[in-house]
Amino acid sequence: MKVPVWLRPVLFIAVLLAVWQVAIDRHPAQLLPGPVGVASGILDLMQHGLLLKYVVASLFRVTWGFGLAGLVAIPLGLMLGWYRRGEMAFYPLVQVFRPISPLAWIPVAILWFGVGDLAAIFLIFVGCFFPLLLTAMSAVHNIPAVYFNAGRNFGLSPGAFVSRVLYPAVVPQLLTGLRLTLGIAWLVVVAAEMISVNSGLGFLIVDARNAGNRYDLVVAGMVIIGAIGLLLDIAMRSLEQVRSFHWSSSED
Protein backbone atom coordinates (compact mmCIF):
# COMPACT_ATOMS: atom_id res chain seq x y z
CA MET A 1 0.00 0.00 0.00
CA LYS A 2 1.41 3.32 -1.07
CA VAL A 3 1.52 5.98 1.65
CA PRO A 4 0.06 9.35 0.54
CA VAL A 5 2.64 12.10 0.20
CA TRP A 6 0.97 14.35 2.78
CA LEU A 7 1.01 11.53 5.33
CA ARG A 8 4.72 10.77 5.08
CA PRO A 9 5.94 13.70 7.21
CA VAL A 10 3.33 12.82 9.85
CA LEU A 11 4.50 9.22 9.99
CA PHE A 12 8.13 10.31 10.14
CA ILE A 13 7.43 12.62 13.09
CA ALA A 14 5.46 9.87 14.81
CA VAL A 15 8.41 7.49 14.46
CA LEU A 16 10.79 10.12 15.88
CA LEU A 17 8.47 10.70 18.85
CA ALA A 18 8.25 6.97 19.49
CA VAL A 19 12.03 6.59 19.39
CA TRP A 20 12.37 9.60 21.68
CA GLN A 21 9.91 8.14 24.22
CA VAL A 22 11.54 4.70 24.14
CA ALA A 23 14.98 6.25 24.69
CA ILE A 24 13.70 8.21 27.70
CA ASP A 25 11.98 5.12 29.16
CA ARG A 26 15.22 3.15 28.88
CA HIS A 27 17.20 5.92 30.61
CA PRO A 28 14.75 7.51 33.08
CA ALA A 29 17.53 9.27 34.98
CA GLN A 30 18.11 11.66 32.09
CA LEU A 31 16.97 15.24 32.65
CA LEU A 32 15.43 15.53 29.17
CA PRO A 33 11.70 14.70 29.34
CA GLY A 34 9.95 12.51 26.80
CA PRO A 35 7.07 13.42 24.50
CA VAL A 36 4.55 12.42 27.17
CA GLY A 37 6.19 14.75 29.69
CA VAL A 38 6.33 17.57 27.16
CA ALA A 39 2.66 17.11 26.29
CA SER A 40 1.86 17.20 30.01
CA GLY A 41 3.82 20.44 30.31
CA ILE A 42 1.86 21.99 27.44
CA LEU A 43 -1.41 20.98 29.07
CA ASP A 44 -0.19 22.50 32.33
CA LEU A 45 0.48 25.79 30.57
CA MET A 46 -2.97 25.71 28.98
CA GLN A 47 -4.69 25.01 32.29
CA HIS A 48 -2.98 27.98 33.93
CA GLY A 49 -3.78 30.26 30.99
CA LEU A 50 -0.10 30.89 30.25
CA LEU A 51 0.20 29.28 26.83
CA LEU A 52 -2.05 31.71 24.99
CA LYS A 53 -0.65 34.64 26.97
CA TYR A 54 2.96 33.87 26.05
CA VAL A 55 2.20 33.05 22.41
CA VAL A 56 0.25 36.30 21.96
CA ALA A 57 3.04 38.30 23.62
CA SER A 58 5.69 36.86 21.29
CA LEU A 59 3.54 37.31 18.17
CA PHE A 60 2.75 40.89 19.22
CA ARG A 61 6.44 41.79 19.37
CA VAL A 62 7.26 40.01 16.13
CA THR A 63 4.38 41.72 14.33
CA TRP A 64 5.48 45.20 15.37
CA GLY A 65 9.22 44.69 14.90
CA PHE A 66 8.88 42.89 11.58
CA GLY A 67 6.18 45.25 10.31
CA LEU A 68 8.09 48.41 11.16
CA ALA A 69 11.25 47.02 9.57
CA GLY A 70 9.33 46.27 6.39
CA LEU A 71 7.72 49.71 6.28
CA VAL A 72 11.10 51.42 6.60
CA ALA A 73 13.55 49.06 4.90
CA ILE A 74 11.64 48.11 1.76
CA PRO A 75 10.88 51.64 0.45
CA LEU A 76 14.40 52.75 1.41
CA GLY A 77 15.94 49.73 -0.31
CA LEU A 78 13.91 50.31 -3.47
CA MET A 79 14.98 53.95 -3.50
CA LEU A 80 18.66 53.11 -3.01
CA GLY A 81 18.47 50.40 -5.65
CA TRP A 82 16.93 52.88 -8.06
CA TYR A 83 19.32 55.75 -7.37
CA ARG A 84 22.80 54.28 -7.68
CA ARG A 85 24.50 57.38 -6.24
CA GLY A 86 22.50 57.02 -3.07
CA GLU A 87 23.42 53.35 -2.92
CA MET A 88 27.12 54.15 -3.33
CA ALA A 89 26.87 56.64 -0.46
CA PHE A 90 24.97 54.40 1.98
CA TYR A 91 26.25 50.94 1.05
CA PRO A 92 29.49 51.13 3.11
CA LEU A 93 27.47 52.20 6.16
CA VAL A 94 25.05 49.32 5.61
CA GLN A 95 27.90 46.84 5.41
CA VAL A 96 29.37 48.15 8.66
CA PHE A 97 26.15 47.66 10.66
CA ARG A 98 24.78 44.57 8.90
CA PRO A 99 27.21 42.01 10.43
CA ILE A 100 26.44 43.18 13.97
CA SER A 101 24.25 40.58 15.66
CA PRO A 102 20.89 41.90 16.88
CA LEU A 103 21.74 40.42 20.28
CA ALA A 104 24.73 42.75 20.50
CA TRP A 105 22.21 45.59 20.63
CA ILE A 106 20.59 44.26 23.82
CA PRO A 107 22.50 46.60 26.20
CA VAL A 108 21.68 49.56 23.97
CA ALA A 109 18.03 48.52 23.70
CA ILE A 110 17.69 48.24 27.48
CA LEU A 111 19.48 51.58 27.94
CA TRP A 112 17.17 53.34 25.49
CA PHE A 113 13.86 51.60 26.12
CA GLY A 114 14.23 49.83 29.46
CA VAL A 115 13.04 46.30 30.11
CA GLY A 116 9.82 45.72 28.19
CA ASP A 117 8.15 45.36 24.83
CA LEU A 118 9.88 48.33 23.21
CA ALA A 119 13.32 46.83 23.77
CA ALA A 120 12.29 43.52 22.21
CA ILE A 121 10.57 45.25 19.29
CA PHE A 122 13.69 47.33 18.67
CA LEU A 123 15.87 44.21 18.58
CA ILE A 124 13.51 42.55 16.10
CA PHE A 125 13.51 45.71 14.00
CA VAL A 126 17.31 45.73 13.88
CA GLY A 127 17.44 42.04 13.02
CA CYS A 128 14.98 42.45 10.13
CA PHE A 129 15.97 45.85 8.78
CA PHE A 130 19.18 45.02 6.95
CA PRO A 131 18.04 41.74 5.32
CA LEU A 132 14.93 43.49 3.99
CA LEU A 133 16.94 46.52 2.87
CA LEU A 134 19.40 44.40 0.88
CA THR A 135 16.58 42.26 -0.54
CA ALA A 136 14.79 45.35 -1.84
CA MET A 137 17.98 46.73 -3.36
CA SER A 138 18.76 43.41 -5.02
CA ALA A 139 15.20 43.15 -6.34
CA VAL A 140 15.56 46.48 -8.15
CA HIS A 141 18.92 45.44 -9.60
CA ASN A 142 17.36 42.25 -10.97
CA ILE A 143 14.56 43.97 -12.89
CA PRO A 144 15.06 43.12 -16.60
CA ALA A 145 16.07 46.07 -18.74
CA VAL A 146 13.12 45.43 -21.04
CA TYR A 147 10.77 46.64 -18.28
CA PHE A 148 12.56 49.97 -18.08
CA ASN A 149 12.52 50.32 -21.85
CA ALA A 150 8.81 49.52 -22.00
CA GLY A 151 8.08 52.13 -19.35
CA ARG A 152 10.00 54.77 -21.28
CA ASN A 153 8.35 53.83 -24.59
CA PHE A 154 4.89 54.22 -23.07
CA GLY A 155 5.87 57.52 -21.51
CA LEU A 156 4.98 56.56 -17.97
CA SER A 157 5.42 59.20 -15.30
CA PRO A 158 7.74 58.34 -12.37
CA GLY A 159 4.75 57.64 -10.14
CA ALA A 160 3.06 55.45 -12.73
CA PHE A 161 6.29 53.60 -13.43
CA VAL A 162 6.73 52.80 -9.73
CA SER A 163 3.15 51.58 -9.26
CA ARG A 164 2.75 49.74 -12.58
CA VAL A 165 6.25 48.40 -13.25
CA LEU A 166 8.67 48.68 -10.32
CA TYR A 167 6.55 47.29 -7.48
CA PRO A 168 5.00 44.40 -9.46
CA ALA A 169 8.43 43.42 -10.77
CA VAL A 170 10.05 43.24 -7.34
CA VAL A 171 7.17 41.63 -5.42
CA PRO A 172 8.22 37.97 -6.03
CA GLN A 173 11.73 38.55 -4.70
CA LEU A 174 10.42 40.69 -1.84
CA LEU A 175 8.08 37.89 -0.77
CA THR A 176 11.02 35.49 -0.60
CA GLY A 177 12.99 38.00 1.43
CA LEU A 178 10.04 38.60 3.75
CA ARG A 179 9.65 34.89 4.33
CA LEU A 180 13.31 34.43 5.27
CA THR A 181 13.36 37.57 7.39
CA LEU A 182 10.26 36.52 9.29
CA GLY A 183 12.25 33.48 10.41
CA ILE A 184 14.97 35.82 11.66
CA ALA A 185 12.37 37.86 13.54
CA TRP A 186 11.08 34.75 15.27
CA LEU A 187 14.62 33.79 16.29
CA VAL A 188 15.39 37.24 17.64
CA VAL A 189 12.19 37.58 19.66
CA VAL A 190 12.91 34.36 21.54
CA ALA A 191 16.44 35.50 22.39
CA ALA A 192 15.25 38.99 23.34
CA GLU A 193 12.55 37.63 25.62
CA MET A 194 15.14 35.67 27.55
CA ILE A 195 16.78 38.92 28.62
CA SER A 196 14.69 42.04 28.22
CA VAL A 197 11.06 41.11 29.04
CA ASN A 198 9.08 39.08 31.55
CA SER A 199 6.64 37.34 29.20
CA GLY A 200 6.67 35.43 25.93
CA LEU A 201 7.99 32.04 24.87
CA GLY A 202 11.63 32.96 25.38
CA PHE A 203 10.86 34.08 28.91
CA LEU A 204 8.96 30.82 29.46
CA ILE A 205 12.10 28.78 28.76
CA VAL A 206 14.31 30.80 31.11
CA ASP A 207 11.68 31.01 33.82
CA ALA A 208 11.02 27.26 33.69
CA ARG A 209 14.73 26.58 33.96
CA ASN A 210 15.14 28.89 36.96
CA ALA A 211 11.94 27.86 38.73
CA GLY A 212 12.85 24.36 39.86
CA ASN A 213 14.38 22.93 36.68
CA ARG A 214 11.04 22.38 34.92
CA TYR A 215 12.62 20.87 31.83
CA ASP A 216 9.26 19.62 30.64
CA LEU A 217 8.24 23.27 30.25
CA VAL A 218 11.62 24.14 28.71
CA VAL A 219 11.19 21.55 25.99
CA ALA A 220 7.49 22.41 25.67
CA GLY A 221 8.48 26.01 24.97
CA MET A 222 10.97 24.83 22.35
CA VAL A 223 8.33 22.66 20.68
CA ILE A 224 5.80 25.51 20.62
CA ILE A 225 8.39 27.88 19.17
CA GLY A 226 9.19 25.40 16.41
CA ALA A 227 5.53 24.74 15.64
CA ILE A 228 4.66 28.43 15.39
CA GLY A 229 7.74 29.04 13.26
CA LEU A 230 6.55 26.31 10.89
CA LEU A 231 3.07 27.83 10.68
CA LEU A 232 4.50 31.28 9.95
CA ASP A 233 6.68 29.84 7.19
CA ILE A 234 3.72 28.00 5.66
CA ALA A 235 1.70 31.23 5.70
CA MET A 236 4.47 33.13 3.91
CA ARG A 237 4.95 30.32 1.39
CA SER A 238 1.24 30.44 0.60
CA LEU A 239 1.64 34.10 -0.35
CA GLU A 240 4.45 33.14 -2.73
CA GLN A 241 2.00 30.88 -4.57
CA VAL A 242 -0.45 33.68 -5.35
CA ARG A 243 -0.29 34.01 -9.14
CA SER A 244 -1.07 37.74 -9.12
CA PHE A 245 2.31 38.26 -7.44
CA HIS A 246 4.14 36.54 -10.29
CA TRP A 247 3.07 38.37 -13.40
CA SER A 248 6.74 38.97 -14.26
CA SER A 249 7.58 35.25 -14.37
CA SER A 250 8.42 33.81 -17.72
CA GLU A 251 5.85 31.05 -17.26
CA ASP A 252 3.06 33.62 -17.10
Side-chain angles (χ1 to χ4, degrees):
M1 179 179 178
K2 187 176 181 180
V3 179
V5 176
W6 65 269
L7 189 58
R8 294 175 186 175
V10 178
L11 292 177
F12 179 70
I13 294 175
V15 171
L16 290 180
L17 291 176
V19 172
W20 178 10
Q21 186 63 52
V22 170
I24 295 301
D25 291 339
R26 290 174 62 89
H27 300 84
Q30 298 295 325
L31 292 177
L32 184 67
V36 175
V38 173
S40 176
I42 294 176
L43 289 176
D44 189 21
L45 291 173
M46 295 176 63
Q47 291 173 355
H48 289 83
L50 294 177
L51 180 60
L52 181 61
K53 174 185 175 182
Y54 287 159
V55 169
V56 170
S58 295
L59 290 176
F60 170 82
R61 295 165 187 137
V62 168
T63 300
W64 275 101
F66 179 73
L68 290 174
L71 289 176
V72 176
I74 291 177
L76 180 60
L78 295 177
M79 183 180 68
L80 294 178
W82 181 265
Y83 296 103
R84 295 301 179 92
R85 291 184 178 180
E87 179 182 349
M88 293 175 61
F90 282 93
Y91 193 75
L93 189 63
V94 171
Q95 292 302 321
V96 169
F97 284 97
R98 184 180 65 86
I100 301 176
S101 169
L103 302 184
W105 290 87
I106 288 178
V108 177
I110 295 177
L111 177 64
W112 287 352
F113 304 105
V115 176
D117 288 338
L118 287 179
I121 291 172
F122 171 77
L123 294 172
I124 298 168
F125 176 89
V126 172
C128 297
F129 178 82
F130 292 104
L132 290 177
L133 179 71
L134 294 176
T135 296
M137 293 168 62
S138 176
V140 175
H141 296 164
N142 292 332
I143 297 177
V146 65
Y147 292 176
F148 294 98
N149 296 332
R152 296 190 186 98
N153 292 338
F154 283 100
L156 295 179
S157 64
F161 182 84
V162 169
S163 62
R164 300 179 62 181
V165 178
L166 179 62
Y167 274 104
V170 301
V171 162
Q173 188 168 339
L174 287 180
L175 287 176
T176 301
L178 286 169
R179 174 191 167 194
L180 297 175
T181 306
L182 182 58
I184 296 175
W186 193 239
L187 290 173
V188 173
V189 71
V190 173
E193 288 174 345
M194 292 181 174
I195 300 172
S196 61
V197 296
N198 57 3
S199 64
L201 295 173
F203 171 79
L204 166 64
I205 293 176
V206 174
D207 187 54
R209 166 61 180 84
N210 296 334
N213 293 335
R214 289 291 307 274
Y215 285 101
D216 56 335
L217 297 183
V218 171
V219 180
M222 295 170 63
V223 170
I224 295 169
I225 289 168
I228 295 177
L230 175 62
L231 294 177
L232 291 175
D233 185 71
I234 291 175
M236 292 301 298
R237 290 185 65 180
S238 65
L239 288 179
E240 294 180 358
Q241 305 303 318
V242 178
R243 291 185 61 84
S244 60
F245 291 151
H246 294 267
W247 65 265
S248 61
S249 301
S250 59
E251 64 183 15
D252 293 340

